[in-house]
Short mmCIF file of all heavy atoms in Angstrom, two decimals:
data_model
loop_
_atom_site.label_atom_id
_atom_site.label_comp_id
_atom_site.label_asym_id
_atom_site.label_seq_id
_atom_site.Cartn_x
_atom_site.Cartn_y
_atom_site.Cartn_z
N ILE A 176 103.60 85.38 129.16
CA ILE A 176 104.49 85.11 128.02
C ILE A 176 103.67 84.89 126.75
O ILE A 176 104.06 85.35 125.67
CB ILE A 176 105.36 83.87 128.34
CG1 ILE A 176 106.25 84.16 129.56
CG2 ILE A 176 106.20 83.49 127.13
CD1 ILE A 176 107.07 82.96 129.99
N ARG A 177 102.52 84.21 126.87
CA ARG A 177 101.66 83.98 125.70
C ARG A 177 101.12 85.30 125.16
O ARG A 177 101.06 85.50 123.94
CB ARG A 177 100.50 83.07 126.11
CG ARG A 177 99.60 82.69 124.94
CD ARG A 177 98.51 81.75 125.40
NE ARG A 177 97.63 81.39 124.30
CZ ARG A 177 96.58 80.60 124.43
NH1 ARG A 177 96.27 80.09 125.64
NH2 ARG A 177 95.83 80.33 123.39
N PHE A 178 100.76 86.21 126.03
CA PHE A 178 100.26 87.51 125.60
C PHE A 178 101.34 88.28 124.85
O PHE A 178 101.08 88.91 123.81
CB PHE A 178 99.77 88.31 126.81
CG PHE A 178 99.33 89.69 126.48
CD1 PHE A 178 98.12 89.94 125.87
CD2 PHE A 178 100.16 90.78 126.79
CE1 PHE A 178 97.73 91.23 125.56
CE2 PHE A 178 99.77 92.07 126.48
CZ PHE A 178 98.53 92.30 125.87
N ILE A 179 102.59 88.21 125.35
CA ILE A 179 103.69 88.90 124.68
C ILE A 179 103.94 88.30 123.31
O ILE A 179 104.20 89.03 122.32
CB ILE A 179 104.96 88.82 125.56
CG1 ILE A 179 104.75 89.59 126.87
CG2 ILE A 179 106.17 89.38 124.81
CD1 ILE A 179 105.89 89.44 127.85
N HIS A 180 103.82 86.98 123.19
CA HIS A 180 104.04 86.32 121.90
C HIS A 180 102.99 86.74 120.88
O HIS A 180 103.31 87.05 119.72
CB HIS A 180 104.01 84.81 122.11
CG HIS A 180 104.17 84.02 120.84
ND1 HIS A 180 105.37 83.96 120.16
CD2 HIS A 180 103.28 83.29 120.13
CE1 HIS A 180 105.23 83.21 119.09
NE2 HIS A 180 103.95 82.79 119.05
N ILE A 181 101.70 86.75 121.28
CA ILE A 181 100.63 87.16 120.38
C ILE A 181 100.81 88.61 119.95
O ILE A 181 100.63 88.98 118.78
CB ILE A 181 99.26 86.95 121.05
CG1 ILE A 181 99.03 85.45 121.29
CG2 ILE A 181 98.15 87.53 120.21
CD1 ILE A 181 97.76 85.15 122.07
N THR A 182 101.21 89.46 120.87
CA THR A 182 101.42 90.88 120.54
C THR A 182 102.55 91.03 119.53
O THR A 182 102.46 91.84 118.58
CB THR A 182 101.73 91.66 121.82
OG1 THR A 182 100.69 91.45 122.78
CG2 THR A 182 101.86 93.14 121.52
N ALA A 183 103.61 90.26 119.70
CA ALA A 183 104.75 90.35 118.77
C ALA A 183 104.35 89.92 117.37
O ALA A 183 104.73 90.55 116.37
CB ALA A 183 105.89 89.50 119.30
N VAL A 184 103.55 88.84 117.28
CA VAL A 184 103.11 88.38 115.96
C VAL A 184 102.21 89.42 115.31
O VAL A 184 102.32 89.70 114.10
CB VAL A 184 102.37 87.02 116.10
CG1 VAL A 184 101.71 86.62 114.78
CG2 VAL A 184 103.34 85.94 116.55
N PHE A 185 101.33 90.03 116.09
CA PHE A 185 100.44 91.06 115.56
C PHE A 185 101.23 92.27 115.03
O PHE A 185 100.94 92.79 113.95
CB PHE A 185 99.46 91.48 116.65
CG PHE A 185 98.48 92.53 116.22
CD1 PHE A 185 97.45 92.21 115.35
CD2 PHE A 185 98.60 93.84 116.68
CE1 PHE A 185 96.55 93.18 114.94
CE2 PHE A 185 97.71 94.81 116.27
CZ PHE A 185 96.68 94.48 115.41
N ILE A 186 102.23 92.67 115.78
CA ILE A 186 103.05 93.80 115.34
C ILE A 186 103.81 93.45 114.07
O ILE A 186 103.94 94.28 113.15
CB ILE A 186 104.01 94.22 116.47
CG1 ILE A 186 103.21 94.76 117.67
CG2 ILE A 186 105.01 95.26 115.97
CD1 ILE A 186 104.08 95.03 118.90
N LEU A 187 104.29 92.20 113.97
CA LEU A 187 105.02 91.77 112.78
C LEU A 187 104.13 91.79 111.55
O LEU A 187 104.56 92.21 110.47
CB LEU A 187 105.58 90.36 113.01
CG LEU A 187 106.41 89.76 111.86
CD1 LEU A 187 107.64 90.64 111.58
CD2 LEU A 187 106.82 88.34 112.19
N VAL A 188 102.88 91.37 111.73
CA VAL A 188 101.95 91.39 110.60
C VAL A 188 101.67 92.81 110.15
O VAL A 188 101.63 93.13 108.96
CB VAL A 188 100.64 90.67 110.99
CG1 VAL A 188 99.56 90.88 109.92
CG2 VAL A 188 100.90 89.19 111.19
N ILE A 189 101.51 93.72 111.13
CA ILE A 189 101.26 95.12 110.78
C ILE A 189 102.45 95.71 110.03
O ILE A 189 102.30 96.42 109.03
CB ILE A 189 100.94 95.93 112.05
CG1 ILE A 189 99.63 95.47 112.68
CG2 ILE A 189 100.91 97.42 111.74
CD1 ILE A 189 99.30 96.17 113.98
N ILE A 190 103.65 95.36 110.48
CA ILE A 190 104.85 95.89 109.81
C ILE A 190 104.95 95.36 108.39
O ILE A 190 105.27 96.08 107.44
CB ILE A 190 106.11 95.53 110.63
CG1 ILE A 190 106.09 96.26 111.97
CG2 ILE A 190 107.37 95.86 109.86
CD1 ILE A 190 107.22 95.83 112.91
N THR A 191 104.62 94.05 108.24
CA THR A 191 104.70 93.45 106.91
C THR A 191 103.69 94.09 105.97
O THR A 191 103.99 94.39 104.81
CB THR A 191 104.43 91.93 107.02
OG1 THR A 191 105.40 91.37 107.91
CG2 THR A 191 104.57 91.26 105.66
N GLU A 192 102.47 94.28 106.46
CA GLU A 192 101.45 94.89 105.63
C GLU A 192 101.78 96.35 105.32
O GLU A 192 101.48 96.85 104.24
CB GLU A 192 100.08 94.81 106.32
CG GLU A 192 99.53 93.39 106.42
CD GLU A 192 99.19 92.82 105.07
OE1 GLU A 192 98.88 93.61 104.16
OE2 GLU A 192 99.24 91.58 104.92
N SER A 193 102.41 97.00 106.27
CA SER A 193 102.74 98.42 106.04
C SER A 193 103.83 98.58 104.98
O SER A 193 103.94 99.63 104.35
CB SER A 193 103.19 99.06 107.36
OG SER A 193 104.38 98.42 107.84
N ASN A 194 104.60 97.51 104.78
CA ASN A 194 105.65 97.60 103.76
C ASN A 194 105.10 97.39 102.36
O ASN A 194 105.80 97.62 101.37
CB ASN A 194 106.73 96.54 104.04
CG ASN A 194 107.54 96.88 105.30
OD1 ASN A 194 107.66 98.05 105.65
ND2 ASN A 194 108.06 95.85 105.98
N VAL A 195 103.85 96.87 102.24
CA VAL A 195 103.24 96.65 100.94
C VAL A 195 102.55 97.94 100.49
O VAL A 195 101.73 98.50 101.22
CB VAL A 195 102.22 95.50 100.99
CG1 VAL A 195 101.55 95.33 99.65
CG2 VAL A 195 102.91 94.21 101.42
N THR A 196 102.86 98.38 99.32
CA THR A 196 102.28 99.62 98.78
C THR A 196 101.51 99.31 97.51
O THR A 196 101.71 98.28 96.86
CB THR A 196 103.39 100.64 98.49
OG1 THR A 196 104.28 100.08 97.50
CG2 THR A 196 104.16 100.98 99.74
N PHE A 197 100.59 100.22 97.18
CA PHE A 197 99.74 100.04 96.00
C PHE A 197 100.17 100.96 94.85
O PHE A 197 99.36 101.35 94.03
CB PHE A 197 98.28 100.34 96.37
CG PHE A 197 97.69 99.31 97.29
CD1 PHE A 197 97.77 99.48 98.66
CD2 PHE A 197 97.07 98.19 96.79
CE1 PHE A 197 97.23 98.54 99.52
CE2 PHE A 197 96.52 97.24 97.65
CZ PHE A 197 96.61 97.43 99.02
N GLY A 198 101.41 101.24 94.78
CA GLY A 198 101.87 102.16 93.75
C GLY A 198 102.19 101.51 92.41
O GLY A 198 102.55 102.21 91.46
N LEU A 199 102.04 100.17 92.32
CA LEU A 199 102.40 99.48 91.08
C LEU A 199 101.27 99.60 90.06
O LEU A 199 100.09 99.59 90.40
CB LEU A 199 102.69 98.00 91.36
CG LEU A 199 103.34 97.20 90.23
CD1 LEU A 199 104.72 97.76 89.90
CD2 LEU A 199 103.45 95.73 90.62
N GLU A 200 101.67 99.71 88.81
CA GLU A 200 100.69 99.84 87.73
C GLU A 200 99.96 98.51 87.54
O GLU A 200 100.57 97.45 87.50
CB GLU A 200 101.41 100.22 86.43
CG GLU A 200 100.46 100.44 85.26
CD GLU A 200 101.18 100.81 83.99
OE1 GLU A 200 102.42 100.94 84.05
OE2 GLU A 200 100.52 100.94 82.95
N PRO A 201 98.63 98.51 87.42
CA PRO A 201 97.86 97.27 87.27
C PRO A 201 97.97 96.71 85.84
O PRO A 201 98.32 97.45 84.91
CB PRO A 201 96.43 97.69 87.59
CG PRO A 201 96.38 99.13 87.19
CD PRO A 201 97.74 99.70 87.50
N PRO A 202 97.65 95.43 85.65
CA PRO A 202 97.62 94.87 84.30
C PRO A 202 96.50 95.52 83.48
O PRO A 202 95.46 95.90 84.03
CB PRO A 202 97.38 93.38 84.52
CG PRO A 202 96.74 93.29 85.86
CD PRO A 202 97.31 94.41 86.67
N GLN A 203 96.70 95.60 82.20
CA GLN A 203 95.76 96.29 81.33
C GLN A 203 94.93 95.29 80.50
O GLN A 203 95.38 94.19 80.22
CB GLN A 203 96.53 97.24 80.38
CG GLN A 203 97.35 98.29 81.11
CD GLN A 203 96.48 99.24 81.92
OE1 GLN A 203 95.42 99.68 81.47
NE2 GLN A 203 96.91 99.54 83.13
N ASP A 204 93.76 95.78 80.15
CA ASP A 204 92.88 95.04 79.21
C ASP A 204 92.61 93.60 79.68
O ASP A 204 92.83 92.64 78.94
CB ASP A 204 93.51 95.04 77.82
CG ASP A 204 92.48 94.76 76.73
OD1 ASP A 204 91.27 94.85 77.03
OD2 ASP A 204 92.88 94.43 75.60
N VAL A 205 92.14 93.48 80.93
CA VAL A 205 91.77 92.15 81.45
C VAL A 205 90.41 91.78 80.84
O VAL A 205 89.41 92.47 81.03
CB VAL A 205 91.68 92.16 82.99
CG1 VAL A 205 91.21 90.80 83.49
CG2 VAL A 205 93.02 92.54 83.60
N LYS A 206 90.40 90.68 80.10
CA LYS A 206 89.17 90.28 79.41
C LYS A 206 89.19 88.79 79.12
O LYS A 206 90.24 88.12 79.25
CB LYS A 206 88.99 91.06 78.11
CG LYS A 206 90.12 90.86 77.11
CD LYS A 206 89.91 91.72 75.89
CE LYS A 206 91.08 91.55 74.89
NZ LYS A 206 90.89 92.40 73.70
N ILE A 207 88.02 88.29 78.74
CA ILE A 207 87.88 86.88 78.38
C ILE A 207 87.69 86.80 76.88
O ILE A 207 86.75 87.38 76.33
CB ILE A 207 86.68 86.23 79.11
CG1 ILE A 207 86.88 86.30 80.63
CG2 ILE A 207 86.49 84.78 78.68
CD1 ILE A 207 85.69 85.78 81.43
N VAL A 208 88.59 86.11 76.21
CA VAL A 208 88.53 85.92 74.77
C VAL A 208 88.37 84.43 74.51
O VAL A 208 89.27 83.64 74.79
CB VAL A 208 89.80 86.45 74.08
CG1 VAL A 208 89.71 86.22 72.57
CG2 VAL A 208 90.01 87.92 74.39
N GLY A 209 87.21 84.07 73.98
CA GLY A 209 86.95 82.65 73.78
C GLY A 209 86.92 81.94 75.12
O GLY A 209 86.09 82.24 75.98
N SER A 210 87.82 80.98 75.31
CA SER A 210 87.91 80.25 76.58
C SER A 210 89.14 80.66 77.37
O SER A 210 89.55 79.93 78.29
CB SER A 210 87.94 78.74 76.32
OG SER A 210 86.75 78.32 75.69
N ASP A 211 89.74 81.82 77.07
CA ASP A 211 90.96 82.27 77.73
C ASP A 211 90.73 83.58 78.46
O ASP A 211 90.13 84.52 77.91
CB ASP A 211 92.09 82.47 76.73
CG ASP A 211 92.55 81.15 76.12
OD1 ASP A 211 92.47 80.12 76.83
OD2 ASP A 211 92.96 81.13 74.95
N LEU A 212 91.20 83.61 79.73
CA LEU A 212 91.31 84.87 80.46
C LEU A 212 92.71 85.42 80.17
O LEU A 212 93.71 84.75 80.44
CB LEU A 212 91.12 84.63 81.95
CG LEU A 212 91.40 85.84 82.86
CD1 LEU A 212 90.37 86.93 82.65
CD2 LEU A 212 91.46 85.41 84.32
N GLN A 213 92.79 86.64 79.65
CA GLN A 213 94.09 87.19 79.29
C GLN A 213 94.15 88.68 79.63
O GLN A 213 93.13 89.35 79.82
CB GLN A 213 94.36 86.97 77.79
CG GLN A 213 93.33 87.57 76.85
CD GLN A 213 93.55 87.18 75.41
OE1 GLN A 213 94.03 86.09 75.11
NE2 GLN A 213 93.19 88.05 74.49
N TRP A 214 95.37 89.19 79.69
CA TRP A 214 95.62 90.60 80.00
C TRP A 214 96.96 91.01 79.39
O TRP A 214 97.80 90.18 79.06
CB TRP A 214 95.62 90.83 81.52
CG TRP A 214 96.63 89.98 82.26
CD1 TRP A 214 97.91 90.30 82.57
CD2 TRP A 214 96.42 88.65 82.75
NE1 TRP A 214 98.53 89.29 83.23
CE2 TRP A 214 97.63 88.25 83.36
CE3 TRP A 214 95.34 87.76 82.75
CZ2 TRP A 214 97.78 87.02 83.95
CZ3 TRP A 214 95.51 86.54 83.34
CH2 TRP A 214 96.70 86.17 83.94
N LYS A 215 97.15 92.30 79.27
CA LYS A 215 98.40 92.82 78.72
C LYS A 215 99.42 93.00 79.84
O LYS A 215 99.14 93.67 80.84
CB LYS A 215 98.16 94.17 78.02
CG LYS A 215 97.36 94.05 76.73
CD LYS A 215 97.20 95.40 76.07
CE LYS A 215 96.42 95.29 74.77
NZ LYS A 215 96.26 96.62 74.12
N PRO A 216 100.60 92.44 79.68
CA PRO A 216 101.62 92.56 80.74
C PRO A 216 102.26 93.95 80.74
O PRO A 216 102.18 94.72 79.77
CB PRO A 216 102.62 91.48 80.37
CG PRO A 216 102.50 91.35 78.89
CD PRO A 216 101.08 91.61 78.55
N LEU A 217 102.89 94.27 81.86
CA LEU A 217 103.61 95.53 81.96
C LEU A 217 104.98 95.42 81.28
O LEU A 217 105.47 94.31 81.01
CB LEU A 217 103.80 95.90 83.44
CG LEU A 217 102.51 96.04 84.27
CD1 LEU A 217 102.86 96.42 85.70
CD2 LEU A 217 101.59 97.08 83.66
N ASN A 218 105.57 96.52 81.01
CA ASN A 218 106.90 96.53 80.38
C ASN A 218 108.00 96.33 81.41
O ASN A 218 108.96 97.10 81.48
CB ASN A 218 107.11 97.86 79.63
CG ASN A 218 106.14 98.01 78.47
OD1 ASN A 218 105.79 97.02 77.82
ND2 ASN A 218 105.72 99.25 78.21
N ASP A 219 107.84 95.31 82.18
CA ASP A 219 108.81 95.00 83.23
C ASP A 219 108.81 93.49 83.43
O ASP A 219 107.79 92.92 83.84
CB ASP A 219 108.46 95.73 84.53
CG ASP A 219 109.58 95.63 85.56
OD1 ASP A 219 110.47 94.77 85.39
OD2 ASP A 219 109.55 96.41 86.53
N ASP A 220 109.92 92.85 83.14
CA ASP A 220 109.99 91.40 83.24
C ASP A 220 109.98 90.90 84.68
O ASP A 220 109.79 89.70 84.91
CB ASP A 220 111.25 90.89 82.53
CG ASP A 220 111.21 91.16 81.03
OD1 ASP A 220 110.08 91.32 80.51
OD2 ASP A 220 112.28 91.21 80.40
N ASN A 221 110.18 91.77 85.65
CA ASN A 221 110.21 91.37 87.05
C ASN A 221 108.82 91.40 87.71
O ASN A 221 108.68 91.05 88.88
CB ASN A 221 111.16 92.26 87.85
CG ASN A 221 112.61 92.08 87.39
OD1 ASN A 221 113.02 90.97 87.05
ND2 ASN A 221 113.36 93.17 87.36
N VAL A 222 107.86 91.85 86.97
CA VAL A 222 106.50 91.94 87.50
C VAL A 222 105.82 90.57 87.41
O VAL A 222 105.89 89.90 86.37
CB VAL A 222 105.68 93.00 86.75
CG1 VAL A 222 104.22 92.99 87.22
CG2 VAL A 222 106.28 94.37 86.95
N LEU A 223 105.17 90.17 88.51
CA LEU A 223 104.42 88.92 88.57
C LEU A 223 102.92 89.23 88.64
O LEU A 223 102.52 90.37 88.96
CB LEU A 223 104.85 88.09 89.77
CG LEU A 223 106.34 87.74 89.86
CD1 LEU A 223 106.63 86.95 91.14
CD2 LEU A 223 106.80 86.96 88.64
#
């Protein structure tokens, strides 16, 4: 039963990772200005 549980968790992690894609546009102009790390946000308010 323990082996089946570990296998299920492993499969769930693989499924979760497989749902993550790298197709999102990255933040632009990441730089340090004075004492601030800043970057330009995307034109999408839902992006974190």
